[in-house]
Amino acid sequence: GGLLSVAVGASGADPAPGAPPPPVSYYGPDDLAVGGEVNLFGRLVHLVDCDQFTKEYNARVLGRPVTEEVVERAKQTAPKDRYLEHIENNRHRQFDDARRREFFRTSATIIIKEEDRSSYVKFLQWDTKVLRFFCVWDDRQSMYGDQRRLTLRFYLADDTMDLVEEPLPNSGRRMGNFLRRTRVPKRTPQTILGGGDWFIEEYYTPADLMVGTTINVFNRVLFIFACDGFTRAYYEKNFGVTDMPEYDVEPEPMPATTVTAPVPPYAGIGSQEDSFGSVLYLQPKPPSKDVMRMLQNEKKRLRFRAEFANPVDQADAQRRFIVTYFTSDDTISVYEEPIQNSGRWHGKFLERGRVLRPESNPGDGSNVSYYTVADLVPGEVVYFHCHAFRILQLDTFTQNFLTRHPNAGLPLTATGSAGGGVPGTSTGTGTGGGGG
């Protein structure tokens, strides 16, 4: 093999400075023996066994037979592998722990109530065993109080309990852990505000928790109205309680009351729908519009000629106005016709918008109504913001439109014929309104 070609120093001591190097020797068959050691470049190798051919060679040539006793003695004197020794120790330790737990589990088969029993034995027996009760805390006697449902979990391993509040959507409370896990005394302990007891001697046990009983948890009176299946089986086996009914703790339904905030009166500024948006929303939104109606009637404008019903002087009696009714959104605008050398400025007289009827009362919001096309009848008087107008004529398109749409509500009279027409409009049949 390759061992004979490995050069190994004959002596482990370092040569003196200037001295010739020590002679070099090589391992031979005489140096390799079961139970011996080989130093290969600083690594100490223990020989504990060999194959069958090597055994025959040692016995026939070298005269040192390798027996079973030699091999066994070499294995016992060889150093142990630390990693394998650690794995073996862990295996024995786990086996011992499992055997110890099994012993305590099989020996502690009854309810441990004696004071001389170890708490460790009780923990091994009842760990992960939890009694679960469903409680209700009626706090309706206090201001803003409510009936709150809680889940009581009693841990048999150490006689501790905790409380978890059932989640209730939109309750405004932070649900979850109501009482952290701790031992709960039967009497309230002394506090810095006075009251209670200084010395706590008795704590709640499973014997104190039954369905139908009332307990005091730090001045919170809880009524136990139900429990789960494991808790029922526990009390039936250990206390002989077979009848644990469930109680109905649903509160009586409160009469539904609807509170409607009064709508403030309309101030008369802007449209009523726009003002009502500030009542409905914290950030007012523009009122919704009938888009389809606007698209279908955008160019359909009904135009009427009017004059002052109560002129102040001869100049006012000569003034003429064009009243335009927009069918897309029931708005009205008024323009004044130009009169040569009158000295008056003609053009826009009333901005486009919905016009209230005079009988409307925007102050208290009662009986609010707006002018429609049914009010623009030739010969009738309408009041646009304290100005009285008498309707004189309507143009040809308006007459044809109202003839095709009798539901618009405008009765045509002989005096309101469109013979004279409205200045600036078409006298034909037309399919769309004029300008303005």
Side-chain angles (χ1 to χ4, degrees):
L3 292 179
L4 296 179
S5 62
V6 178
V8 182
S11 175
D14 295 333
V24 178
S25 61
Y26 296 92
Y27 280 117
D30 295 338
D31 301 318
L32 305 177
V34 176
E37 299 176 351
V38 179
N39 190 334
L40 302 179
F41 299 104
R43 289 179 174 83
L44 194 62
V45 180
H46 299 267
L47 305 180
V48 296
D49 201 355
C50 61
D51 59 0
Q52 186 62 31
F53 174 79
T54 306
K55 291 180 180 180
E56 295 177 356
Y57 179 85
N58 276 269
R60 185 177 65 254
V61 177
L62 302 178
R64 51 182 185 189
V66 181
T67 60
E68 295 294 336
E69 292 78 5
V70 175
V71 174
E72 187 66 24
R73 186 168 54 253
K75 290 182 178 179
Q76 293 178 358
T77 57
K80 301 293 184 181
D81 189 305
R82 294 184 179 180
Y83 176 74
L84 296 179
E85 187 178 8
H86 174 72
I87 295 298
E88 187 67 21
N89 293 337
N90 283 344
R91 185 181 297 109
H92 288 295
R93 189 181 301 110
Q94 293 175 2
F95 177 76
D96 293 341
D97 293 343
R99 186 170 55 182
R100 188 181 301 107
R101 287 194 299 268
E102 184 65 23
F103 169 76
F104 284 119
R105 186 178 291 107
T106 55
S107 60
T109 57
I110 62 175
I111 299 178
I112 302 174
K113 294 183 178 179
E114 294 81 5
E115 297 180 356
D116 56 347
R117 292 294 186 95
S118 173
S119 60
Y120 179 66
V121 178
K122 183 178 181 180
F123 174 80
L124 291 178
Q125 181 183 3
W126 296 110
D127 186 27
T128 69
K129 303 298 189 300
V130 181
L131 304 179
R132 187 170 62 167
F133 301 90
F134 302 101
C135 313
V136 62
W137 173 35
D138 193 353
D139 191 38
R140 290 178 293 182
Q141 299 298 330
S142 61
M143 183 180 294
Y144 308 115
D146 198 1
Q147 193 177 62
R148 305 170 68 172
R149 294 200 174 193
L150 307 170
T151 300
L152 188 150
R153 296 181 297 193
F154 189 89
Y155 299 86
L156 296 173
D158 53 0
D159 291 342
T160 58
M161 68 172 66
D162 63 0
L163 289 171
V164 178
E165 188 171 4
E166 297 182 5
L168 184 63
N170 301 324
S171 64
R173 296 192 183 95
R174 178 178 295 179
M175 302 297 180
N177 195 9
F178 189 81
L179 174 67
R180 65 179 179 84
R181 181 175 175 179
T182 183
R183 296 186 69 188
V184 178
K186 294 183 179 180
R187 293 180 295 178
T188 304
Q190 177 75 29
T191 62
I192 60 175
L193 300 178
D197 300 323
W198 281 108
F199 302 99
I200 304 301
E201 298 178 355
E202 296 183 358
Y203 294 89
Y204 281 109
T205 63
D208 303 315
L209 306 177
M210 295 282 186
V211 176
T213 60
T214 302
I215 61 175
N216 189 313
V217 180
F218 300 110
N219 288 335
R220 270 74 170 177
V221 180
L222 306 181
F223 175 72
I224 303 176
F225 65 89
C227 63
D228 62 357
F230 172 78
T231 305
R232 292 180 182 274
Y234 173 84
Y235 278 92
E236 182 178 358
K237 178 180 179 181
N238 300 286
F239 292 93
V241 179
T242 58
D243 186 14
M244 295 181 67
E246 295 186 1
Y247 294 87
D248 185 11
V249 294
E250 290 292 336
E252 297 181 359
M254 301 295 293
T257 57
T258 303
V259 179
T260 304
V263 179
Y266 173 55
I269 301 175
S271 64
Q272 187 182 18
E273 294 82 1
D274 194 15
S275 300
F276 190 64
S278 61
V279 179
L280 298 179
Y281 309 103
L282 184 61
Q283 296 181 352
K285 302 178 181 179
S288 59
K289 299 180 180 180
D290 191 347
V291 179
M292 292 301 300
R293 178 184 176 184
M294 294 177 61
L295 294 176
Q296 295 174 359
N297 300 283
E298 176 61 26
K299 296 183 178 181
K300 298 178 182 178
R301 304 172 183 179
L302 310 182
R303 308 215 305 171
F304 305 84
R305 197 176 191 186
E307 64 178 0
F308 278 133
N310 301 314
V312 177
D313 50 21
Q314 186 64 26
D316 281 349
Q318 297 177 358
R319 299 171 67 180
R320 295 295 181 267
F321 303 89
I322 303 299
V323 179
T324 305
Y325 184 88
F326 298 86
T327 59
S328 60
D329 55 0
D330 296 329
T331 54
I332 297 175
S333 67
V334 179
Y335 280 77
E336 185 174 1
E337 298 179 8
I339 301 178
Q340 297 292 334
N341 301 323
S342 63
R344 295 181 181 274
W345 190 267
H346 63 277
K348 184 189 298 183
F349 185 85
L350 176 64
E351 182 73 27
R352 176 180 176 178
R354 302 187 70 182
V355 182
L356 284 170
R357 289 192 176 97
E359 64 270 12
S360 300
N361 188 2
D364 57 1
S366 62
N367 192 22
V368 176
S369 60
Y370 297 91
Y371 277 111
T372 63
V373 67
D375 301 311
L376 304 180
V377 180
E380 296 293 331
V381 177
V382 294
Y383 293 85
F384 295 165
H385 302 296
C386 301
H387 294 278
F389 294 93
R390 179 180 290 106
I391 305 299
L392 300 177
Q393 297 173 321
L394 62 161
D395 65 356
T396 305
F397 171 76
T398 304
Q399 184 178 13
N400 295 336
F401 177 84
L402 296 176
T403 302
R404 293 193 303 268
H405 302 84
N407 295 330
L410 176 61
L412 298 178
T413 61
T415 58
S417 62
V422 177
T425 62
S426 173
T427 57
T429 57
T431 58

